[in-house]
Amino acid sequence: MPERLTREDVAHVAYLARLDITDDEIELYTEQLAAVLDHAADVAALDTSGVPPTAHPLPISNVLRDDVVTPSLDRDEVLAQAPAVEDQRFRVPRILGEAP
Amino acid sequence: MTAVEIAAGVRAGTTTARQVLESHLSAIAARDPELHAFNLVITDEARQAADAVDLLVAKGADPGPLAGVPVALKDNMCTRGVPTTCSSRILEGWRPPYDATVVERIVAAGGIVVGKTNLDEFAMGSSTENSAFGPTRNPHDLTRVPGGSSGGSAAAVAAGFAPLALGSDTGGSIRQPAALCGVVGMKPTYGVVSRYGLVAFASSLDQIGPFATTVEDAALLLEVTGGHDPRDSTSLDRSAPAVVQEVRKGVEGLRVGVVRELLEGVDPDVAARVHDVADALTAAGAKVDDASVPATVYGVSAYYLIAPAEASSNLARYDGVRYGARVDGPDINAMYGATRAAGFGPEVKRRIMLGTYALSAGYYDAYYGQAQRTRTLIIRDFDAAYERFDVLLSPTSPTTAFEFGAKSDPLTMYLSDVCTIPSNLAGHPAISVPFRTDGAGLPVGVQVMAPALGEPVMFRVAAAIERAAQSGGDQ
């Protein structure tokens, strides 16, 4: 069994998931998520040696289609939905340390 | 009127799509302000579509099997140019540039899309209380939840706003609200209905399915929406199951197993209705016996690792870049963090963090890996049970509709999915059929489960339960 979830774990996964959270939220989520994981202890403790995992209910893989050109979404229609656009592209805040 | 009756009347010219639509729009205007089943009613577009159907009939053409039938769509299915919110602030105002496959098929069959129904944000919840736009109320008792996450679709059908609706079911999100609102709700075999244009929650579990007031209507909508779609790589390469023809067949000789594990901890009134159904099916000629699917007791634990894990990946796309809301920041990580903090509600954040944790280094095998192996155990136990039985019977929900705020603790809410989750994990079809009420007069739903692609036999049994419910009996 893994050790119990800590406040540091919650702060870390919130960072990984790019969710800004407050100290109060960390407190609340630590308690609530630990309760769910405690409930999941039954699954974590099961003897599953030799049991393969199921990732998907269908036995299908590598679905291919014919290599033919089909219509795509209209670029202007798509860009019209974006929060910020410049020169036919999505505009985002600076990514690296370059000047804005 | 049922969908079958409406379509027959419109095709025969004894009523018009416009008349049918106007009566449903009147019902919506009269009562949706108190129920809040809809996030959006698309009155103008619906009137144009109804007039177009009537024009076809006037020209002697056949509009199709849903001719003039109003259909409500859960607001996580894309409608071109029409807002699709998932009841989330992060998608508020977004107008998809394409229609979901199910929308195209409904329109092609002559159906009239009347609006987008409320849901728990991104379909995460069992009460519709997690909607960013406020909860939906149960038409049978305004102090109670309609269930969820497709609570708006269930309430819309129960209130007579539309004879048909579509929902999505990841862990019971069609069947549980159907049970709590006293309507029919069905989750198809995974891959029967295209997920193209369904906003993804947990991709290995999500399926679109019908709500209706009758089993036959649900069968009709499944036939219209099902069948292969090259735009969904998980769509089965086969046509929709033929199920409408099944509803008039009997259940003589069918083997029905009542799942022991799924009756544990269930409200006595709900359990009593399941036993009533077992008796009614026996009287109709089925062979009913006790069944065991032992690994289903691990369903909730496995589901609440697998579904959040998949959700944490699927919801990474809401980053304030291509669509939806953005909260600006000095650099891109600050923008991501602020956008997602402002755009997602508490339950969605909880699931994203839970899933991220279950997938993170050091915990992956203990949680996510174990949950996937447990999924295999559940499938094996179902396979063994289906060697003895054609279908399995259980409650749909361990309780009838509960009051707002009654399950504010997340784990308590998660446990309300105990009876529905196993079919999602296995990818099997399951249907909830209303069967009478509890002592307080609230609707009870009984669930029929079947093996993969067992929809025909499942609909036979569902129709027999419906006939038994209508016959009254000694209740």
Side-chain angles (χ1 to χ4, degrees):
Chain A
M1 266 304 295
E3 63 272 33
R4 206 155 200 272
L5 185 80
T6 64
R7 299 181 84 249
E8 290 68 33
D9 291 329
V10 170
H12 182 59
V13 292
Y15 168 73
L16 292 177
R18 299 296 185 269
L19 281 171
D20 290 352
I21 58 173
T22 64
D23 286 346
D24 285 351
E25 285 177 311
I26 290 176
E27 201 71 49
L28 177 70
Y29 290 134
T30 302
E31 188 186 314
Q32 291 175 335
L33 297 185
V36 177
L37 291 169
D38 285 348
H39 187 269
D42 59 350
V43 158
L46 271 182
D47 179 5
T48 56
S49 47
V51 178
T54 296
H56 202 269
L58 298 180
I60 53 173
S61 61
N62 295 341
V63 178
L64 304 176
R65 65 165 173 80
D66 294 336
D67 186 16
V68 292
V69 177
T70 55
S72 304
L73 297 176
D74 179 78
R75 183 162 63 179
D76 290 336
E77 202 177 343
V78 171
L79 288 170
Q81 297 295 319
V85 171
E86 186 177 308
D87 295 338
Q88 297 279 305
R89 295 174 178 84
F90 299 116
R91 180 183 164 85
V92 295
R94 67 192 169 90
I95 292 173
L96 301 172
E98 81 268 47
Chain B
M1 277 206 293
T2 67
V4 168
E5 290 164 352
I6 289 169
V10 169
R11 283 166 135 173
T14 56
T15 185
T16 67
R18 186 61 185 266
Q19 284 171 343
V20 170
L21 175 65
E22 294 302 332
S23 78
H24 286 88
L25 290 175
S26 297
I28 294 168
R31 204 171 175 215
D32 202 45
E34 68 175 12
L35 293 182
H36 186 218
F38 284 99
N39 283 342
L40 180 70
V41 180
I42 47 176
T43 310
D44 293 344
E45 294 90 336
R47 283 182 171 138
Q48 285 168 19
D51 290 347
V53 164
D54 288 332
L55 195 61
L56 279 177
V57 175
K59 286 177 176 169
D62 180 6
L66 291 184
V69 178
V71 184
L73 294 175
K74 188 178 185 178
D75 199 14
N76 62 351
M77 297 175 203
C78 291
T79 40
R80 183 170 184 166
V82 174
T84 298
T85 68
C86 294
S87 288
S88 179
R89 296 278 175 215
I90 213 160
L91 277 176
E92 210 172 352
W94 179 54
R95 292 169 185 267
Y98 64 99
D99 276 327
T101 295
V102 290
V103 175
E104 289 183 354
R105 291 189 179 174
I106 286 167
V107 171
I112 311 297
V113 175
V114 289
K116 309 296 289 285
T117 60
N118 196 19
L119 62 148
D120 286 297
E121 185 177 2
F122 284 104
M124 297 179 189
S126 311
S127 68
T128 321
E129 292 170 288
N130 296 331
S131 167
F133 309 130
T136 297
R137 294 178 186 281
N138 192 312
H140 296 274
D141 180 344
L142 298 180
T143 68
R144 293 175 188 271
V145 304
S149 67
S150 314
S153 287
V157 171
F161 296 164
L164 295 176
L166 284 180
S168 62
D169 190 314
T170 307
S173 281
I174 293 171
R175 291 161 285 156
Q176 185 257 16
L180 271 50
C181 289
V183 299
V184 177
M186 185 257 171
K187 182 198 92 73
T189 300
Y190 185 89
V192 161
V193 177
S194 169
R195 294 184 296 114
Y196 180 77
L198 170 69
V199 176
F201 160 16
S203 302
S204 81
L205 302 163
D206 298 339
Q207 262 296 283
I208 292 173
F211 285 94
T213 57
T214 69
V215 172
E216 185 178 24
D217 276 4
L220 174 65
L221 187 54
L222 177 63
E223 287 191 2
V224 166
T225 52
H228 183 244
D229 176 14
R231 293 176 298 187
D232 172 5
S233 61
T234 63
S235 161
L236 290 168
D237 191 10
R238 54 194 301 147
S239 53
V243 283
V244 172
Q245 65 189 31
E246 298 296 320
V247 302
R248 282 179 230 300
K249 296 180 183 171
V251 293
E252 294 82 2
L254 289 182
R255 301 164 303 164
V256 178
V258 183
V259 182
R260 187 187 310 152
E261 292 82 6
L262 299 182
L263 281 166
E264 283 169 16
V266 165
D267 271 7
D269 283 2
V270 173
R273 293 297 86 77
V274 174
H275 293 301
D276 291 345
V277 165
D279 291 346
L281 291 173
T282 303
K287 296 176 195 160
V288 182
D289 203 351
D290 189 41
S292 177
V293 192
T296 55
V297 301
Y298 300 111
V300 170
S301 290
Y303 176 88
Y304 279 97
L305 295 168
I306 291 169
E310 295 187 19
S312 70
S313 171
N314 272 326
L315 272 65
R317 73 191 64 182
Y318 304 103
D319 55 8
V321 172
R322 290 153 299 163
Y323 38 72
R326 172 189 289 189
V327 177
D328 270 314
D331 61 39
I332 196 150
N333 274 319
M335 185 277 279
Y336 289 155
T339 295
R340 290 162 63 82
F344 291 137
E347 181 61 26
V348 173
K349 290 178 184 174
R350 229 171 349 252
R351 302 231 191 158
I352 288 173
M353 287 191 284
L354 183 59
T356 305
Y357 183 73
L359 290 172
S360 63
Y363 303 103
Y364 181 95
D365 201 59
Y367 287 125
Y368 184 64
Q370 274 294 91
Q372 287 188 311
R373 289 186 284 273
T374 304
R375 193 172 180 179
T376 305
L377 296 177
I378 291 170
I379 292 170
R380 286 179 179 175
D381 283 358
F382 267 128
D383 288 347
Y386 287 126
E387 286 182 10
R388 289 186 58 212
F389 298 104
D390 297 301
V391 298
L392 297 172
L393 199 66
S394 80
T396 305
S397 162
T399 69
T400 54
F402 45 91
E403 292 181 338
F404 289 98
K407 299 191 178 187
S408 54
D409 166 58
L411 181 60
T412 306
M413 186 71 85
Y414 298 170
L415 292 170
S416 59
D417 302 336
V418 61
C419 299
T420 45
I421 279 173
S423 299
N424 296 86
L425 291 171
H428 293 168
I431 188 168
S432 180
V433 184
F435 192 82
R436 301 180 186 153
T437 61
D438 67 3
L442 294 165
V444 172
V446 172
Q447 178 175 241
V448 184
M449 296 170 274
L453 298 172
E455 276 89 348
V457 68
M458 191 181 81
F459 270 94
R460 280 172 69 184
V461 176
I465 295 171
E466 181 177 59
R467 285 192 293 272
Q470 288 161 355
S471 75
D474 52 6
Q475 288 302 311

